[in-house]
Every structure is written in C-alpha cells, then in structure tokens.
Amino acid sequence: DQQVKQNSPSLSVQEGRISILNCDYTNSMFDYFLWYKKYPAEGPTFLISISSIKDKNEDGRFTVFLNKSAKHLSLHIVPSQPGDSAVYFCAASTPFSGSARQLTFGSGTQLTVLP
Amino acid sequence: DSGVTQTPKHLITATGQRVTLRCSPRSGDLSVYWYQQSLDQGLQFLIQYYNGEERAKGNILERFSAQQFPDLHSELNLSSLELGDSALYFCASSIGGLATDTQYFGPGTRLTVL
C-alpha cells in the first residue's frame, strides 16, 4: 500500500517556465512533508519542507503547497532552470515519540528542464 | 558533498551470500537511517539508530540487521541474499531525530545479487 504517491514519473518544462510537481498521500496522520532532489549517482538532497499547520512555504524559487483536505502536496519551481533537472521525491512523516522520524517516500518524478 | 560517506560504492555478489554496507555520518550527527531503493521505487525506510541505540524500524527483513558503533558509524548486514535484494542502499544522518532535523544522504551503495 503506497501511502505517498507521485503519479507522474516524468515532467518536461521549458527553461524559465514554472514546474509543478505533485504528490498525493493517504495517511491522515502525516504531519510533516518534505521534498528531496536527486541527481544521478548522488544521494537525495533536502529541498524544502512544510508542516501540516501551514499551507504554503517558500524558499527562493521553490514553493511547496499543502492541501490537507485533498491530501495533496505540490512543489512549484519558478523560474525553472536546466540545473533543476533531477528526480524529485516527495516524503511524509508521522509524529513519533522520542527522537525518531520515519520518512515515507514517493516513487519520484524525473524533471527535465529544456534550454 | 553531504558529508555522509558510504562504502563500498558498488557490490556484486551471489545469492545466499552475506554482505556488510558501511556508513559514516556527518560529523556531529547522532542519528543514522538506512533506506533501500529498488528499481523504479521510492526509498523504503529500513531502520534508524540514534546514538548507538535502535530507535525505529521500518520494512526491514529479518535477514537484514544493522548496528551503530560508539564512533557513530553504522553497518547494515544483509544475509542469505536473494535476487530481489538487488537495490541501492542509502544511509542518511541527522543531528537528532526531531521534525526540523534535516536528513543528509550519502551517495549510496549499489548492490547487485547474481
């Protein structure tokens, strides 16, 4: 049972335009959401996160939107640059006692930004 | 460079064998996490250690085990290997395990079981 789903395996966008990557989740206990970016032959790199008490978080060209009622998360990249071409993973976490946070990842979306 | 190192980068072995993957966390990080990424799949959380103690268990098979040593490096042991264990294995580390603690990932170990 996939609790975090990224239904688009790939997305192509023109340089300078907006990239929108989507993520859906099923577990209503998730309270913290993250996006990671992964280049080939490297590990995932943290990009941006959002707590369930917010519906938007911005960091430079990256904005994450959270729609709790729809259990939907999206990442907007504006403007898109060729260097943004990578696999983007959505991840979610439930509250955990002590010092543990278990992340559940989606299967990823390959973003290609065309020059 | 995330500061997390993993060795070896590649590992090719046969079914039934046992292998050990090693991870050195970023300096100062107390938590280590192990993830498995099979072909076209997302990362599956296996296990977390915090300052030498097991803190959380995910979808880790009984044939797999891990430990974190006093110097905070961690090893993931995979035994009785099967073809389906072929995957990328990532280690990540964080300062603690709080919601605001970012997990920094190593480059991964690619395991191929023939």
Side-chain angles (χ1 to χ4, degrees):
Chain A
D1 175 32
Q2 269 191 300
Q3 296 187 65
V4 177
K5 296 179 186 178
Q6 292 179 257
N7 292 317
S8 298
S10 63
L11 174 69
S12 291
V13 170
Q14 209 66 38
E15 181 179 4
R17 305 295 292 268
I18 183 171
S19 293
I20 300 177
L21 296 105
N22 294 303
C23 177
D24 296 299
Y25 62 94
T26 57
N27 188 342
S28 58
M29 295 298 292
F30 287 144
D31 72 339
Y32 192 65
F33 303 87
L34 309 92
W35 285 93
Y36 278 81
K37 179 171 72 173
K38 184 183 180 304
Y39 293 117
E42 294 183 12
T45 303
F46 170 74
L47 199 54
I48 193 169
S49 63
I50 186 167
S51 164
S52 60
I53 62 173
K54 294 186 173 182
D55 53 19
K56 177 182 172 182
N57 188 27
E58 255 179 289
D59 184 1
R61 296 185 297 111
F62 303 91
T63 303
V64 56
F65 295 91
L66 176 61
N67 182 334
K68 289 188 290 292
S69 60
K71 294 192 177 68
H72 179 79
L73 191 69
S74 64
L75 174 69
H76 292 209
I77 306 173
V78 185
S80 301
Q81 300 173 354
D84 296 329
S85 297
V87 177
Y88 289 78
F89 290 99
C90 167
S93 170
T94 52
F96 214 100
S97 61
S99 58
R101 270 271 178 183
Q102 178 173 330
L103 296 182
T104 301
F105 282 82
S107 55
T109 296
Q110 171 70 57
L111 173 66
T112 303
V113 180
L114 305 167
Chain B
D1 184 359
S2 66
V4 178
T5 60
Q6 288 187 248
T7 56
K9 286 188 177 178
H10 302 277
L11 200 46
I12 301 175
T13 188
T15 54
Q17 295 298 304
R18 171 190 166 97
V19 297
T20 297
L21 313 184
R22 183 188 169 102
C23 169
S24 292
R26 292 188 324 151
S27 176
D29 283 0
L30 298 179
S31 270
V32 170
Y33 310 78
W34 286 98
Y35 293 88
Q36 178 193 54
Q37 184 184 18
S38 301
L39 192 63
D40 294 332
Q41 299 290 315
L43 284 77
Q44 300 288 320
F45 170 73
L46 296 178
I47 197 164
Q48 179 207 1
Y49 279 82
Y50 176 78
N51 203 21
E53 292 186 5
E54 180 185 306
R55 276 305 170 97
K57 246 180 176 177
N59 300 320
I60 188 166
L61 300 172
E62 285 191 13
R63 300 183 285 108
F64 296 1
S65 65
Q67 54 184 327
Q68 186 179 29
F69 294 86
D71 67 352
L72 300 177
H73 90 271
S74 178
E75 292 181 357
L76 178 68
N77 299 297
L78 315 176
S79 62
S80 302
L81 285 168
E82 302 175 359
L83 295 177
D85 297 327
S86 295
L88 261 172
Y89 291 84
F90 288 103
C91 165
S93 73
S94 66
I95 288 177
L98 301 177
T100 52
D101 292 340
T102 299
Q103 291 187 26
Y104 294 87
F105 283 78
T109 292
R110 182 172 292 281
L111 173 66
T112 302
V113 182
L114 301 175

